[in-house]
């Protein structure tokens, strides 16, 4: 799955360090991320050195008060340097995120306009980066970057927040409220009926791949309760023998996904969208020997479908 990056090591301890030229920089514009296209067409994450060297290709607006507040005190909030002969890594307003092996990931606040060879692409394109560990690192970095972007100001009193110097958090200097990265719990369910598994398709535009019944955990319910509720709401089925299988951090929705297997309890007739929300376009029972591989196992969904196909579920 996307988080399985061995032999590389993901280090999420909050140990800020000064940026190096080879470190990666995450620049986001809503749900898009800035990538650099190499001569051979490959899209790569820009490094600190890239942004310093190519500063003329990125036109950055004047820093807003919120962007200035987002810049950590250890790195001056200056703009892109134009000194190509002697680039200074400390001239970028970078926020430390984490590291993989010895390479750090930093967040650059603001969304400068991009010109060739830079371009903004949908964050889901990160799944196709050349190196798997960079796909995971970039997606996780985007999750944190978007969280920082949404927490420039205190939701309680409206004052600009500041970064904690001891942990991954932002703090309101007026009321003292502390904000931590949001992680939303999700359940995903492989519902089976003997040698069949229930595959679904979402109704949103652009959906091509099949999926499994899934949904966010609501307040006051257990993971198992969420399994039962989501199954009834989406496909109108009762389930039994609920078993935990595995979990996955999924940065694209700021989620921690818990995967479960469950057997249909009683009538297997599907009744779509009993909650009236219309989230699913279809749901159908697929025999084990007719399962096609629509996606690689970067996602928990297709890892679990693969386990069912191999009779490991």
């Amino acid at each position: 799955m996307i988080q399985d990056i061995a032999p590389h090591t993901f280090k999420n301890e909050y140990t800020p360090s000064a940026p190096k030229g080879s470190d990666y920089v995450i620049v986001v514009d809503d749900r898009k991320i800035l990538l650099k296209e190499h001569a051979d067409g490959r899209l790569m994450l820009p490094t600190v050195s890239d942004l310093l060297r190519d500063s003329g290709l990125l036109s950055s607006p004047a820093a807003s008060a919120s962007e200035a507040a987002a810049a950590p005190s250890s790195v001056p909030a200056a703009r892109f340097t134009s000194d190509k002969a002697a680039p200074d890594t400390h001239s970028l307003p970078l926020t430390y995120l984490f590291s993989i092996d010895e390479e750090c990931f930093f967040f650059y606040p603001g969304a400068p306009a991009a010109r060739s060879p830079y371009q903004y692409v949908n964050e889901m394109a990160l799944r196709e980066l050349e190196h798997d560990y960079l796909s995971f690192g970039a997606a996780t970095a985007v999750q944190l970057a978007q969280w920082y972007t949404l927490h420039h100001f205190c939701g309680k009193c409206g004052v600009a927040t500041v970064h904690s110097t001891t942990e991954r958090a932002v703090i309101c200097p007026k009321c003292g409220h502390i904000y931590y990265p949001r992680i939303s719990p999700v359940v995903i369910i492989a519902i089976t009926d003997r040698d069949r598994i229930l595959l679904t398709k979402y109704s949103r535009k652009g959906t091509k791949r099949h999926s499994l019944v899934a949904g966010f955990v609501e307040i006051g319910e257990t993971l198992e309760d969420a399994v039962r509720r989501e199954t009834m709401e989406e496909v109108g089925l009762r389930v039994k023998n609920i078993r935990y299988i595995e979990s996955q951090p999924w940065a694209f929705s700021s989620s921690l996904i818990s995967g479960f297997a469950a057997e249909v309890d009683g009538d297997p007739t599907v009744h779509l969208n009993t909650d009236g929300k219309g989230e699913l376009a279809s749901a159908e029972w697929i025999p084990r020997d007719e399962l096609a591989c629509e996606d690689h196992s970067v996602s928990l969904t297709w890892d679990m479908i693969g386990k069912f196909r191999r009779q490991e579920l």
Side-chain angles (χ1 to χ4, degrees):
M1 292 187 282
I2 193 170
Q3 73 272 18
D4 299 325
I5 62 172
H8 301 282
T9 302
F10 174 56
K11 304 173 184 177
N12 63 358
E13 303 88 350
Y14 187 70
T15 54
S17 60
K20 309 184 300 295
S22 59
D23 290 334
Y24 296 105
V25 180
I26 302 300
V27 184
V28 296
D29 183 5
D30 193 19
R31 306 300 297 185
K32 295 184 177 181
I33 180 173
L34 186 75
L35 296 181
K36 181 177 183 178
E37 184 175 3
H38 283 223
D40 59 6
R42 291 177 299 139
L43 291 176
M44 303 290 290
L45 286 174
T47 64
V48 171
S49 291
D50 285 333
L51 295 191
L52 289 168
R53 182 177 58 251
D54 301 334
S55 60
L57 300 178
L58 295 166
S59 57
S60 181
S64 65
S66 61
E67 289 175 349
S73 58
S74 60
V75 181
R79 311 318 299 166
F80 285 115
T81 181
S82 60
D83 182 2
K84 297 182 180 180
D88 177 9
T89 59
H90 289 275
S91 65
L92 296 176
L94 300 176
T95 297
Y96 174 83
L97 300 177
F98 54 79
S99 67
I100 293 181
D101 298 333
E102 302 307 316
E103 303 302 333
C104 298
F105 287 70
F106 288 87
F107 165 50
Y108 175 82
R115 290 181 287 170
S116 180
Y118 293 93
Q119 59 180 288
Y120 285 98
V121 301
N122 186 282
E123 61 180 348
M124 295 303 291
L126 296 176
R127 299 172 62 179
E128 309 303 327
L129 289 181
E130 182 179 13
H131 301 294
D132 291 344
Y133 78 94
L134 287 181
S135 295
F136 171 68
T140 305
V142 169
Q143 176 184 352
L144 281 173
Q146 291 171 338
W147 172 76
Y148 276 118
T149 300
L150 292 173
H151 289 82
H152 288 328
F153 299 97
C154 178
K156 182 179 180 181
C157 64
V159 170
T161 57
V162 297
H163 289 196
S164 169
T165 59
T166 59
E167 59 182 343
R168 187 175 287 108
V170 295
I171 304 171
C172 175
K174 180 179 179 180
C175 69
H177 192 82
I178 303 175
Y179 297 89
Y180 295 99
R182 177 176 65 88
I183 302 174
S184 301
V186 168
V187 293
I188 188 166
I189 313 108
I191 305 169
T192 61
D193 178 28
R194 298 179 182 174
D195 278 345
R196 303 188 300 171
I197 188 170
L198 188 67
L199 299 189
T200 66
K201 276 191 177 180
Y202 287 103
S203 57
R204 59 177 176 260
K205 185 178 179 180
T207 299
K208 297 180 180 180
R209 300 185 182 96
H210 282 94
S211 186
L212 299 173
V213 169
F216 290 95
V217 180
E218 296 289 351
I219 189 169
E221 68 182 357
T222 65
L223 297 176
E224 292 81 3
D225 287 340
V227 167
R228 298 183 186 95
R229 176 184 53 76
E230 285 291 342
T231 301
M232 179 55 67
E233 288 179 354
E234 293 194 359
V235 292
L237 297 175
R238 298 184 183 279
V239 290
K240 61 183 180 180
N241 298 332
I242 300 171
R243 310 184 316 279
Y244 170 78
I245 304 300
E246 55 190 335
S247 65
Q248 177 179 43
W250 192 245
F252 303 104
S253 57
S254 299
S255 304
L256 176 62
I257 306 176
S258 297
F260 290 85
E263 300 169 14
V264 67
D265 185 9
D267 185 359
T269 303
V270 172
H271 300 279
L272 278 182
N273 305 312
T274 63
D275 60 354
K277 295 180 180 179
E279 292 182 11
L280 296 183
S282 66
E284 56 183 325
W285 292 105
I286 306 295
R288 192 192 312 271
D289 58 4
E290 295 180 16
L291 281 171
C293 184
E294 300 178 12
D295 195 6
H296 44 67
S297 59
V298 66
S299 69
L300 178 57
T301 295
W302 281 90
D303 190 73
M304 292 175 63
I305 293 172
K307 282 181 167 60
F308 177 78
R309 183 191 297 112
R310 298 188 299 272
Q311 302 187 42
E312 298 172 1
L313 197 62

